[in-house]
Amino acid sequence: MKQHNIKLICSDIDGTLLDKNRSLSNKTLEEMHRLGRRYPIVLISSRMPKSLRQLQAQLKSTQHPLVAYNGSLIIDGETILFSQEIPFDLIESLQSYIENTSIHLSLYHKDEWIAPADDYWAKREANNTRVKPAIQELAKTIKDWKERSISAHKIMCMGDAKEIELLYNRLKEFHAHEINAYRSKDTYIEISHIQQDKASALAFLLNKKYPSLSMQNVIAFGDNYNDKTLLEQVGIGVAVANAKPEIVAIANSVSFSNTEDGVAHYLAKLS
């Protein structure tokens, strides 16, 4: 490993850093605490800031920035370094697209998570992320946000796999020019602004916060489609064994799965 070039550790969360219980294992905490004395540790995820801050506290890395919503929001303490919202018109388009379907559409802005109902999908995400949503009908949220002149940093569509497939195809056909949309599961679509992904967010953060470092000084871990550009552009891109085949194919190295503490095992090689 080219560990002498590594100056910063960057990791995805779900499917990568967390174990089968969606928690930080003792081995992961041990390695992160050991290395955190020498390297900045930056969490980079599709999750909202509130959820990431909980993990930062356990990792003892709250002094470092975090990258939320796949790069659409970068926060350093209480300071917002970067914010990129999805065009508001897309939310209204989605409202019409999901009429007469069972699709759940959650909207995220900074630390707000607005769900249309406290249904199966809201409960599932709340259990996964340890954050509870505010419950409000989509039409009311659209009205409120329009009055506040804000939009979403992330949109999450969840539901029946066939309905999600149809919606995903519609998004690709009509909105590929303005959004990044990827299926993190066959029942999920995660949507962010087209101009932002994890790699561009990290490059921005390095320039803003760590100007002496380059992407070649970063080791990054990931498992899913939204990690592809990140793992391609850093000095060492590591896929966990459970990663999508396309991610394994482009990674510099592959570690154990997330349920086998793959990140911790790889970090144990860093002195």
Side-chain angles (χ1 to χ4, degrees):
M1 187 201 303
K2 302 173 289 185
Q3 71 174 69
H4 61 280
N5 291 326
I6 298 304
K7 305 293 183 183
L8 186 145
I9 298 167
C10 184
S11 184
D12 171 56
I13 303 302
D14 297 286
T16 301
L17 193 64
L18 302 186
D19 62 18
K20 63 181 180 181
N21 299 313
R22 293 188 176 274
S23 300
L24 294 163
S25 70
N26 289 335
K27 184 172 180 61
T28 296
L29 288 171
E30 179 183 346
E31 285 301 324
M32 287 293 199
H33 291 166
R34 178 180 71 85
L35 293 169
R37 293 190 289 268
R38 292 189 53 201
Y39 304 98
I41 295 172
V42 175
L43 300 181
I44 187 163
S45 171
S46 64
R47 288 191 179 204
M48 64 192 302
K50 187 181 295 184
S51 178
L52 293 178
R53 288 192 188 98
Q54 296 173 3
L55 298 172
Q56 272 192 322
Q58 295 179 61
L59 294 169
K60 300 179 181 178
S61 64
T62 54
Q63 72 274 32
H64 301 302
L66 59 82
V67 180
Y69 301 133
N70 286 321
S72 293
L73 187 63
I74 306 174
I75 300 177
D76 185 12
E78 298 300 318
T79 302
I80 295 176
L81 300 180
F82 179 87
S83 175
Q84 179 73 71
E85 298 176 8
I86 296 164
F88 188 85
D89 290 351
L90 178 73
I91 301 176
E92 296 180 306
S93 295
L94 281 167
Q95 182 185 30
S96 65
Y97 291 163
I98 67 172
E99 284 180 353
N100 303 316
T101 75
S102 62
I103 291 174
H104 170 116
L105 194 154
S106 274
L107 299 174
Y108 297 81
H109 175 80
K110 295 182 180 176
D111 264 327
E112 295 182 55
W113 169 22
I114 314 295
D118 190 21
D119 57 12
Y120 165 80
W121 300 105
K123 287 181 169 66
R124 177 173 176 170
E125 275 301 291
N127 180 66
N128 289 346
T129 62
R130 314 292 198 265
V131 175
K132 291 186 177 181
I135 305 300
Q136 183 169 262
E137 291 182 356
L138 178 59
K140 188 172 189 315
T141 301
I142 289 175
K143 180 177 181 295
D144 289 349
W145 282 19
K146 185 177 288 186
E147 291 174 354
R148 293 166 60 191
S149 298
I150 65 171
S151 188
H153 286 107
K154 185 180 86 164
I155 300 172
M156 179 89 86
C157 300
M158 299 173 280
D160 173 79
K162 291 182 179 178
E163 289 185 333
I164 289 294
E165 175 75 16
L166 291 172
L167 177 59
Y168 181 71
N169 289 337
R170 177 169 285 188
L171 290 171
K172 285 199 303 181
E173 182 176 358
F174 296 108
H175 300 282
H177 64 287
E178 60 183 347
I179 60 167
N180 286 319
Y182 81 101
R183 297 180 71 179
S184 50
K185 302 180 179 68
D186 64 351
T187 53
Y188 280 49
I189 304 173
E190 300 194 37
I191 301 167
S192 58
H193 195 282
I194 187 65
Q195 292 179 357
Q196 207 57 20
D197 63 11
K198 290 186 177 183
S200 58
L202 180 60
F204 175 91
L205 179 59
L206 293 178
N207 183 63
K208 185 80 173 179
K209 181 76 176 182
Y210 308 101
S212 65
L213 304 185
S214 73
M215 295 288 272
Q216 290 303 304
N217 296 127
V218 177
I219 182 171
F221 298 86
D223 75 302
N224 217 326
Y225 300 120
N226 60 329
D227 298 311
K228 183 174 184 290
T229 57
L230 178 67
L231 299 193
E232 286 176 327
Q233 295 182 36
V234 295
I236 303 177
V238 183
V240 284
N242 54 286
K244 301 291 186 185
E246 296 90 334
I247 305 307
V248 170
I250 58 91
N252 298 120
S253 188
V254 179
S255 187
F256 295 105
S257 72
N258 68 307
T259 61
E260 300 170 302
D261 298 321
V263 173
H265 278 288
Y266 203 91
L267 289 178
K269 303 175 185 179
L270 283 177
S271 59

